[in-house]
């Protein structure tokens, strides 16, 4: 339904704001005036995933920790959930990655920036229990590396800034953004590749081989045939092909078949970027092979 990304310095009050937002959204969903779909509000954070603060001091540990956060977020995404990612999300590239995942699921998005000064983050971090505080050197490093969200870029928009002096989050504005905002469709960069059926490779090989065999059979019966020929592969499949006025050798046909199969095998095994579902039926493969042969048999 929606993805809400929380961003801010470490120890800036993000979890407090995430809790306020969760409470507000749950109250709105339970309000008698609400008549929309039944939704659940899910908060994902380093705390819920048991990610230690120390991982941010080692890139080799931080990368899998961030991957765990992203994977959990993807699992929770759906039409029946409002997902709040309560983490620093300090890297703009990571926020863009989450934005793309939301577009794949046709979710509305927004970003909440919890604003605080570096001095305030240091003060609040020092007041925490030892197990919940960031080591001072990691805190300073994260503050320096923080890439502030911007309303000028699409993956951070709409952007809501919550100042430390604000008593609560702008719940009404966020509610409007995630319930009536524009749902951006996946683009070519975020669309999943169309997956071929499990028997597509067999169909590709079998149909093209049968067409080669039928052409050779008809040439044996009618040497020097040319023009439009019908290839009766089955009772329901009888593709037509325009052949040159000469006998085509078996080696020539087999070479074209190998090239044709190689070209289309990659699309079957890795997925295709064509929009919508891709037809790998016998009739479709036969039509593709006819087009390929006619192009390559031109004088």
């Amino acid at each position: 339904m929606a993805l809400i990304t929380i961003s801010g310095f470490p120890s800036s009050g993000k979890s407090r704001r995430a809790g306020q937002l969760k409470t507000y959204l749950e109250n709105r969903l339970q309000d008698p005036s609400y008549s929309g779909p039944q939704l659940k509000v899910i908060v994902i954070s380093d705390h819920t995933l048991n990610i230690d603060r120390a991982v941010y001091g080692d890139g080799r540990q931080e990368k899998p920790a961030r991957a765990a956060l992203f994977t959990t977020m993807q699992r929770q995404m759906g039409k029946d959930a409002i997902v709040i990612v309560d983490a620093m999300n300090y890297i703009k590239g990571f926020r863009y990655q989450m934005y793309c995942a939301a577009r794949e699921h046709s979710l509305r998005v927004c970003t909440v920036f919890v604003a605080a000064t570096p001095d305030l983050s240091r003060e609040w971090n020092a007041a925490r229990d030892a197990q919940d505080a960031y080591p001072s050197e990691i805190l300073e490093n994260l503050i320096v590396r923080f890439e502030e969200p911007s309303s000028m870029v699409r993956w951070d928009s709409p952007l809501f800034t919550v100042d430390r002096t604000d008593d609560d989050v702008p719940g009404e504005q966020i509610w409007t953004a995630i319930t009536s905002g524009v749902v951006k469709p996946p683009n070519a960069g975020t669309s999943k590749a169309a997956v071929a059926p499990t028997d597509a490779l067999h169909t590709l090989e079998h149909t093209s081989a049968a067409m080669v065999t039928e052409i050779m059979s008809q040439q044996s019966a009618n040497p020097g045939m040319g023009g439009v020929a019908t290839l009766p592969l089955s009772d329901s499949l009888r593709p037509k092909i325009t052949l040159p006025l000469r006998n085509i050798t078996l080696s020539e046909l087999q070479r074209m078949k190998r090239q044709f199969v190689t070209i289309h095998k990659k699309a079957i095994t890795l997925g295709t970027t064509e929009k919508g579902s891709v037809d790998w039926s016998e009739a479709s493969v036969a039509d593709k092979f006819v087009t390929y042969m006619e192009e390559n048999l031109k004088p």
Side-chain angles (χ1 to χ4, degrees):
M1 197 282 187
L3 171 68
I4 302 173
T5 303
I6 308 287
S7 183
F9 285 152
S11 298
S12 60
K14 296 183 300 300
S15 294
R16 172 174 168 249
R17 300 303 188 179
Q20 290 177 331
L21 182 55
K22 183 176 187 292
T23 299
Y24 177 87
L25 295 175
E26 288 178 336
N27 288 339
R28 285 296 299 262
L29 292 169
Q30 294 168 8
D31 192 284
S33 63
Y34 175 70
S35 59
Q38 293 296 313
L39 302 172
K40 54 188 176 182
V41 182
I42 302 169
V43 177
I44 302 170
S45 66
D46 288 351
H47 178 72
T48 62
L49 297 178
N50 295 315
I51 296 175
D52 192 272
R53 309 290 195 193
V55 303
Y56 292 102
D58 185 345
R60 291 171 298 181
Q61 296 183 50
E62 181 182 348
K63 188 174 181 180
R66 204 160 53 235
L69 182 75
F70 183 78
T71 301
T72 303
M73 178 201 72
Q74 284 187 302
R75 284 201 303 266
Q76 298 292 351
M77 283 179 168
K79 298 296 183 181
D80 64 341
I82 299 173
V83 180
I84 302 173
V85 182
D86 171 25
M88 283 180 294
N89 300 318
Y90 68 97
I91 302 172
K92 62 183 179 182
F94 186 58
R95 294 197 301 269
Y96 175 70
Q97 188 179 2
M98 292 193 290
Y99 164 81
C100 290
R103 287 188 66 170
E104 287 181 9
H105 289 80
S106 299
L107 306 184
R108 294 184 176 91
V109 299
C110 75
T111 302
V112 177
F113 174 41
V114 180
T117 64
D119 285 342
L120 189 60
S121 291
R122 295 184 187 105
E123 178 185 336
W124 286 351
N125 188 67
R128 284 180 163 179
D129 294 334
Q131 65 269 23
D132 294 326
Y134 290 88
S136 58
E137 64 277 9
I138 293 178
L139 178 73
E140 295 301 325
N141 183 266
L142 290 172
I143 289 175
V144 171
R145 292 162 58 193
F146 185 78
E147 296 174 327
E148 185 174 317
S150 170
S151 60
M152 301 299 291
V153 296
R154 63 188 183 278
W155 57 87
D156 288 334
S157 299
L159 176 64
F160 303 96
T161 300
V162 184
D163 189 75
R164 64 183 181 86
T165 59
D166 295 337
D167 293 331
D168 208 339
V169 294
E172 181 65 32
Q173 295 170 269
I174 295 173
W175 173 263
T176 301
I178 64 173
T179 56
S180 58
V182 176
V183 178
K184 297 181 179 179
N187 56 27
T190 61
S191 296
K192 295 180 179 178
V195 179
T198 55
D199 63 344
L201 277 175
H202 175 266
T203 302
L204 184 69
E205 288 276 2
H206 175 77
T207 303
S208 56
M211 292 175 70
V212 168
T213 300
E214 186 57 34
I215 291 173
M216 291 302 299
S217 176
Q218 291 197 23
Q219 282 191 155
S220 297
N222 302 286
M225 74 171 189
V228 178
T230 299
L231 308 178
L233 303 182
S234 67
D235 292 340
S236 58
L237 184 58
R238 304 171 65 87
K240 297 180 184 291
I241 184 172
T242 302
L243 298 172
L245 295 172
R246 64 177 178 86
N247 279 342
I248 309 167
T249 64
L250 177 60
S251 61
E252 189 177 1
L253 287 172
Q254 288 179 333
R255 174 177 54 81
M256 282 190 288
K257 172 190 169 293
R258 285 195 301 271
Q259 292 172 342
F260 173 78
V261 169
T262 299
I263 290 170
H264 290 83
K265 185 180 290 186
K266 184 177 180 180
I268 291 174
T269 56
L270 299 182
T272 177
T273 57
E274 293 181 42
K275 293 183 178 180
S277 60
V278 180
D279 188 0
W280 291 104
S281 64
E282 289 184 345
S284 178
V285 170
D287 289 341
K288 286 182 172 69
F289 194 31
V290 165
T291 301
Y292 182 81
M293 283 194 293
E294 289 179 343
E295 286 292 324
N296 285 272
L297 289 172
K298 287 180 178 178

